[in-house]
C-alpha cells in the first residue's frame, strides 16, 4: 500500500500519491478523472440508483439498504483485483491505526482467555504502566459495564479502551492473590506502536533486525536500529521480513535508500494515469551502504517486503534467503469516503529494478487466489525449490547479470525448505487455545523473585524450561479443552520447550528476547548465518563490475 491519503476538502477523488524521484517518498497530486466513457458511467450509476429505489420501495420485506450497498461494493471490488478493498466506517480507524505508528488508548497488550480480558503486558511509557497495572491482571469492568464472561471480542476491547487522548476510562481489575477488585481511573494517551520488533547483535560482527510491517514510523525505527547496532560493531546485517505483510511503500523505499548506492533504482510503478507512473532512486548517503546484507523472506512476505527484497536482489546488494514471497505487486491508494469509510483502490503496478512485476496471477476466481498458499504447500513448493517452475518469457537480469524471474513473488537466491519435523497438531492447539499464553503469564507472575536478578544473557544461555513446566502447560491445555496427545507431545517436546522459553523471555524482557530464543529453531535464520561469504561475493563482484564499467 502507498502511504498517500486523499484530503477531505477536495470534491472529486483527489489523492496525495506521486512517488518523488529525488526524495523516494510520496508527494501530493490532484486526481484527474480519465476522459472518455463518461456517458457509460452516468448510465451505470443511474441504473444502480434506479434498482436501489425499487428495492427500497417495493421489495416484499424490509431491507437495510446500507448493508446491501456495502455488500455490492465488496463484490464489485473483488471483480477488479484481489487487493482493492472497501473498509466500512466502523473498521476504518482501527485499520488505519495499524499503519499510523501510534494510537490513543490506555496502553496495554491484551489477550482474551476463557472469555476474560487479560493484560499480557502494560506498554512501556503508557498510562497503564504508570498507574501500576500488571501482567496477568484481568479486566472485569469498563466504565461500570461488565466485560467478563459475556463473549467479549477484540473489536469490543478496542472500542471500549481506545479513545481520544485526554479522555478518561474507569476499569476494575482482578489481580491474583487479591480478594477485591482494584479500580483504576486511566487518562488515555498517545501509545506508540513499533514495527521493528527485534534488534540485537548475533555475534561481534552480525546484527539482526526483525521488521514486522511497514508503518509510518518503520523507517525511523530501522535507521535508529542500524545506528545502534553499528555502535556495537556491526559489519554484517540480517533483515528478517518473514511473515511481513507489507504496508507503506514509502517506508520500504526509504529503508532501501539507506542500503543502496547513489542513483540505484529502488522501484518503479506504472498506472493508467500518468502521475501514478513514477520511479524512485536512492539519493542520500545511506548509513549502511557497504556492509554485508542478507534478507530473509517466506510465503508470508508481501508488498513492501517484496519491494525491499527486490531492490536488494536486483541491485546485487545482498543475498535473499528463504522461500518464495507472497507475490503482491499492486499499489493501493487509500481514499476517505464521506461517511468515514475507506476505499483502497489499486491504481498502479510496481516493478523491481530489473523490470519484474512480481504480482502473482489472478482472475475472477477470488477464492483460488486466497488458496494460493495452500496450493503451494500441497504442491510441495515449501519443501523443494525444484517444484517451482518459472516462465522463460519472464526472465530478467540483475545489475550484475544474474537471472531472476517475474510472475509471482521474489524467489530467494538461496532456498530453505520448511522444517515440519518438530511441529505437531497438538502444539498448534496449545497455542491457538491461548493455553500457552495463560501459562506463561501465570508462571512469570508466580516466579518474579526468581527472575529479578537474572539478566537476559544469563536467561538465554543458562535457563531451561523443565519437564515439570511442560507438564503444567499440558494441564492448562486440558482446562481449555485441548486433549492431550502423547505421541505429538513427545515428538514436539524440545520444540515446545524452546517456544515456551521464547514466550517467557518476551514476558520477562522484551520482543528481542523472544526472537533471539526462537531463532534458535528458525531454519531460514540458521541457514543465513552460514551464507555471509556468498553475500560478500555478490557485493564484491558488483563493486568490480561497476569499476570495470567506469574504466571503459
Amino acid at each position: 500500500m502507498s502511504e498517500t491519503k486523499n484530503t477531505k476538502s477536495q470534491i472529486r477523488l483527489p489523492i496525495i500519491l506521486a512517488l518523488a524521484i529525488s526524495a523516494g517518498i510520496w508527494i501530493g497530486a490532484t486526481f484527474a478523472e480519465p476522459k472518455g466513457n463518461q456517458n457509460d458511467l452516468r448510465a451505470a450509476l443511474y441504473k444502480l440508483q434506479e434498482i436501489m429505489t425499487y428495492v427500497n420501495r417495493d421489495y416484499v420485506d424490509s431491507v437495510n439498504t446500507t448493508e446491501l450497498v456495502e455488500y455490492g461494493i465488496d463484490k464489485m471490488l473483488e471483480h477488479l483485483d484481489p487487493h482493492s478493498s472497501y473498509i466500512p466506517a466502523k473498521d476504518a480507524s482501527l485499520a488505519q491505526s495499524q499503519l499510523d505508528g501510534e494510537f490513543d488508548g490506555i496502553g496495554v497488550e491484551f489477550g482474551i482467555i476463557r472469555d476474560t480480558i487479560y493484560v499480557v503486558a502494560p506498554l512501556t511509557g503508557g498510562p497503564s504502566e504508570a498507574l501500576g497495572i500488571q501482567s496477568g491482571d484481568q479486566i472485569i469492568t469498563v466504565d461500570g459495564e461488565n466485560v467478563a464472561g459475556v463473549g467479549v471480542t477484540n473489536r469490543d476491547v478496542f472500542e471500549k479502551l481506545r479513545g481520544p487522548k485526554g479522555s478518561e476510562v474507569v476499569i476494575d481489575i482482578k489481580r491474583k492473590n487479591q480478594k477485591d477488585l482494584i479500580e483504576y481511573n486511566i487518562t488515555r494517551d498517545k501509545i506508540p506502536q513499533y514495527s521493528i520488533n527485534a534488534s540485537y547483535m548475533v555475534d561481534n560482527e552480525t546484527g539482526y533486525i526483525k521488521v514486522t510491517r511497514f508503518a509510518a514510523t518503520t523507517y525511523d525505527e530501522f535507521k535508529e536500529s542500524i545506528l545502534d547496532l553499528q555502535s556495537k560493531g556491526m559489519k554484517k546485517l540480517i533483515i528478517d521480513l518473514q511473515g511481513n505483510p507489507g504496508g507503506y511503500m514509502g517506508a520500504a523505499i526509504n529503508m532501501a535508500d539507506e542500503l543502496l548506492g547513489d542513483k540505484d533504482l529502488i522501484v518503479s510503478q506504472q498506472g493508467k494515469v500518468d502521475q501514478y507512473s513514477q520511479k524512485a532512486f536512492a539519493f542520500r548517503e545511506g548509513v549502511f551502504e557497504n556492509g554485508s546484507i542478507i534478507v530473509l523472506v517466506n510465503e508470508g512476505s508481501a508488498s513492501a517486503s517484496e519491494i525491499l527484497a527486490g531492490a536488494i536482489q536486483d541491485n546485487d546488494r545482498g543475498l535473499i534467503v528463504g522461500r518464495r514471497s507472497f507475490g503482491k505487486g499492486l499499489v493501493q491508494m487509500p481514499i476517505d469516503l464521506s461517511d468515514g469509510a475507506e476505499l483502497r483502490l489499486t491504481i498502479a503496478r510496481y516493478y523491481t529494478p530489473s523490470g519484474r512485476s512480481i504480482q502473482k496471477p489472478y482472475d475472477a476466481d477470488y477464492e483460488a487466489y486466497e488458496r494460493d498458499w495452500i496450493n503451494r504447500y500441497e504442491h510441495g513448493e515449501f519443501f523443494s525449490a525444484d517444484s517451482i517452475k518459472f516462465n522463460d518469457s519472464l526472465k530478467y537480469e540483475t545489475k550484475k547479470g544474474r537471472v531472476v524471474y517475474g510472475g509471482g513473488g521474489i524467489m530467494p537466491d538461496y532456498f530453505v525448505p520448511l522444517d515440519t519435523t518438530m511441529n505437531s497438531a497438538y502444539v498448534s492447539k496449545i497455542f491457538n487455545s491461548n493455553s500457552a499464553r495463560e501459562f506463561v503469564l501465570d508462571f512469570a507472575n508466580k516466579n518474579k523473585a526468581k527472575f529479578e536478578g537474572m539478566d537476559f544473557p544469563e536467561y538465554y544461555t543458562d535457563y531451561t524450561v523443565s519437564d515439570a513446566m511442560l507438564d503444567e502447560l499440558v494441564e492448562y491445555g486440558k482446562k481449555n479443552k485441548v486433549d492431550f496427545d502423547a505421541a505429538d507431545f513427545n515428538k514436539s517436546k524440545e520444540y515446545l520447550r524452546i517456544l515456551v522459553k521464547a514466550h517467557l523471555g518476551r514476558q520477562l524482557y522484551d520482543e528481542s528476547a523472544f526472537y533471539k530464543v526462537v531463532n534458535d529453531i528458525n531454519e531460514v535464520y540458521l541457514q543465513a548465518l552460514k551464507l555471509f561469504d556468498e553475500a560478500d561475493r555478490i557485493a564484491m563482484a558488483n563493486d568490480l563490475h561497476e569499476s570495470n564499467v567506469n574504466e571503459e
Side-chain angles (χ1 to χ4, degrees):
M1 181 193 303
S2 69
E3 64 176 310
T4 55
K5 195 91 173 176
N6 73 301
T7 58
K8 296 180 180 178
S9 60
Q10 295 168 292
I11 297 175
R12 294 185 180 177
L13 293 179
I15 63 121
I16 304 171
L17 183 70
L19 185 61
I21 295 176
S22 61
I25 59 174
W26 299 101
I27 59 174
T30 302
F31 180 77
E33 189 176 349
K35 295 180 180 179
N37 298 323
Q38 292 304 302
N39 289 334
D40 290 344
L41 176 60
R42 292 191 187 95
L45 291 174
Y46 178 77
K47 181 186 292 187
L48 178 61
Q49 180 182 11
E50 192 175 20
I51 290 173
M52 289 304 302
T53 299
Y54 280 117
V55 168
N56 187 55
R57 187 186 67 195
D58 299 329
Y59 183 66
V60 63
D61 296 321
S62 61
V63 296
N64 185 320
T65 53
T66 299
E67 287 184 359
L68 281 178
V69 168
E70 293 193 343
Y71 177 80
I73 291 171
D74 283 336
K75 291 302 178 183
M76 174 181 68
L77 294 176
E78 283 181 15
H79 188 71
L80 297 179
D81 68 83
H83 298 292
S84 289
S85 62
Y86 169 79
I87 304 175
K90 62 185 175 64
D91 299 325
S93 61
L94 177 58
Q96 185 58 38
S97 73
Q98 304 302 312
L99 292 172
D100 282 343
E102 63 179 15
F103 62 91
D104 293 350
I106 69 169
V108 294
E109 180 187 351
F110 71 91
I112 299 174
I113 302 173
R114 292 203 299 275
D115 208 14
T116 302
I117 306 168
Y118 275 75
V119 175
V120 175
L123 300 179
T124 302
S128 291
E129 182 192 50
L131 290 174
I133 291 176
Q134 301 176 9
S135 298
D137 284 349
Q138 301 173 36
I139 300 177
I140 306 301
T141 71
V142 178
D143 284 334
E145 179 185 352
N146 178 52
V147 293
V150 293
V152 68
T153 65
N154 285 339
R155 178 190 295 280
D156 294 330
V157 178
F158 290 137
E159 289 178 351
K160 294 178 186 302
L161 297 184
R162 291 189 178 185
K165 177 181 178 180
S167 63
E168 294 185 352
V169 60
V170 179
I171 66 173
D172 285 327
I173 291 285
K174 180 177 178 8
R175 183 167 296 159
K176 286 204 170 185
N177 302 321
Q178 295 198 26
K179 180 180 178 181
D180 298 327
L181 297 180
I182 307 170
E183 181 179 289
Y184 287 97
N185 193 318
I186 307 174
T187 301
R188 296 182 178 98
D189 203 349
K190 290 287 183 186
I191 310 298
Q193 294 189 100
Y194 298 103
S195 46
I196 303 294
N197 277 32
S199 176
Y200 64 83
M201 292 294 292
V202 180
D203 54 38
N204 291 335
E205 292 187 334
T206 309
Y208 169 87
I209 297 176
K210 174 66 177 179
V211 188
T212 54
R213 64 186 170 190
F214 290 83
T217 60
T218 305
Y219 165 63
D220 291 333
E221 293 176 50
F222 180 71
K223 186 174 180 180
E224 182 179 342
S225 294
I226 288 182
L227 293 173
D228 176 65
L229 293 174
Q230 285 178 321
S231 72
K232 298 173 181 176
M234 181 184 71
K235 298 177 182 176
K236 305 173 183 179
L237 174 62
I238 295 175
I239 303 173
D240 191 347
L241 302 179
Q242 293 177 98
N244 184 322
Y248 286 146
M249 178 186 284
I253 291 169
N254 283 321
M255 290 163 68
D257 198 355
E258 296 295 344
L259 308 172
L260 298 173
D262 188 30
K263 298 182 181 179
D264 279 346
L265 179 60
I266 297 172
V267 66
S268 60
Q269 69 175 56
Q270 186 70 39
K272 180 171 67 176
V273 180
D274 288 343
Q275 66 197 50
Y276 301 151
S277 301
Q278 304 288 339
K279 292 183 177 181
F281 296 88
F283 74 98
R284 64 168 66 87
E285 183 178 349
V287 295
F288 197 72
E289 291 187 1
N290 298 312
S292 304
I293 294 176
I294 293 180
V295 179
L296 312 185
V297 298
N298 64 8
E299 54 282 347
S301 308
S303 188
S305 291
E306 296 170 302
I307 289 175
L308 180 56
I312 297 298
Q313 187 176 54
D314 285 5
N315 284 291
D316 298 299
R317 176 64 182 88
L319 200 67
I320 311 300
V321 176
R323 293 182 293 278
R324 182 163 68 103
S325 64
F326 180 86
K328 180 182 181 294
L330 301 174
V331 181
Q332 282 73 54
M333 173 180 70
I335 303 167
D336 289 336
L337 303 179
S338 58
D339 67 344
E342 184 178 281
L343 172 64
R344 293 184 178 178
L345 186 67
T346 297
I347 45 79
R349 291 179 173 84
Y350 73 73
Y351 299 85
T352 68
S354 65
R356 293 183 282 170
S357 168
I358 49 80
Q359 173 63 44
K360 61 186 178 183
Y362 63 89
D363 52 30
D365 190 349
Y366 183 80
E367 290 186 2
Y369 187 88
E370 293 296 302
R371 290 195 306 269
D372 178 64
W373 190 93
I374 298 173
N375 293 338
R376 291 193 199 185
Y377 181 89
E378 293 176 344
H379 184 62
E381 179 180 324
F382 292 176
F383 308 100
S384 171
D386 293 338
S387 67
I388 307 170
K389 306 301 180 184
F390 292 102
N391 188 333
D392 282 343
S393 67
L394 299 175
K395 183 185 294 186
Y396 296 83
E397 289 188 353
T398 67
K399 181 184 286 189
K400 189 173 74 77
R402 294 186 300 136
V403 173
V404 290
Y405 290 90
I410 300 291
M411 183 64 188
D413 302 304
Y414 193 98
F415 178 84
V416 181
L418 178 66
D419 183 3
T420 60
T421 57
M422 297 177 70
N423 202 357
S424 67
Y426 178 70
V427 170
S428 298
K429 290 176 183 177
I430 280 286
F431 278 88
N432 290 338
S433 68
N434 275 323
S435 301
R437 171 174 278 187
E438 185 179 1
F439 166 71
V440 166
L441 279 171
D442 287 349
F443 187 86
N445 285 327
K446 291 175 184 176
N447 295 273
K448 281 184 178 180
K450 178 178 180 179
F451 294 107
E452 279 181 357
M454 185 183 298
D455 60 14
F456 176 71
E458 181 184 355
Y459 176 85
Y460 175 72
T461 304
D462 299 334
Y463 187 76
T464 300
V465 172
S466 67
D467 286 348
M469 291 172 64
L470 295 184
D471 291 341
E472 191 176 351
L473 174 60
V474 168
E475 295 305 313
Y476 273 77
K478 290 177 181 178
K479 285 195 299 182
N480 287 297
K481 300 181 180 180
V482 178
D483 294 332
F484 180 64
D485 187 319
D488 272 6
F489 178 79
N490 290 326
K491 171 190 174 185
S492 303
K493 194 170 185 178
E494 297 311 309
Y495 179 61
L496 198 54
R497 206 184 300 277
I498 290 291
L499 289 180
V500 170
K501 181 175 179 178
H503 283 277
L504 182 58
R506 169 189 279 156
Q507 191 65 36
L508 296 171
Y509 304 100
D510 55 23
E511 286 288 323
S512 286
F514 171 85
Y515 284 100
K516 189 167 180 63
V517 173
V518 85
N519 277 340
D520 285 345
I521 52 174
N522 181 339
E523 68 275 9
V524 177
Y525 170 87
L526 294 174
Q527 190 60 56
L529 293 176
K530 305 173 185 177
L531 293 171
F532 273 105
D533 286 346
E534 177 64 15
D536 288 340
R537 185 189 67 78
I538 289 175
M540 289 177 64
N542 189 44
D543 290 341
L544 292 174
H545 175 73
E546 289 183 347
S547 297
N548 291 335
V549 170
N550 290 335
E551 287 172 359
E552 292 174 358

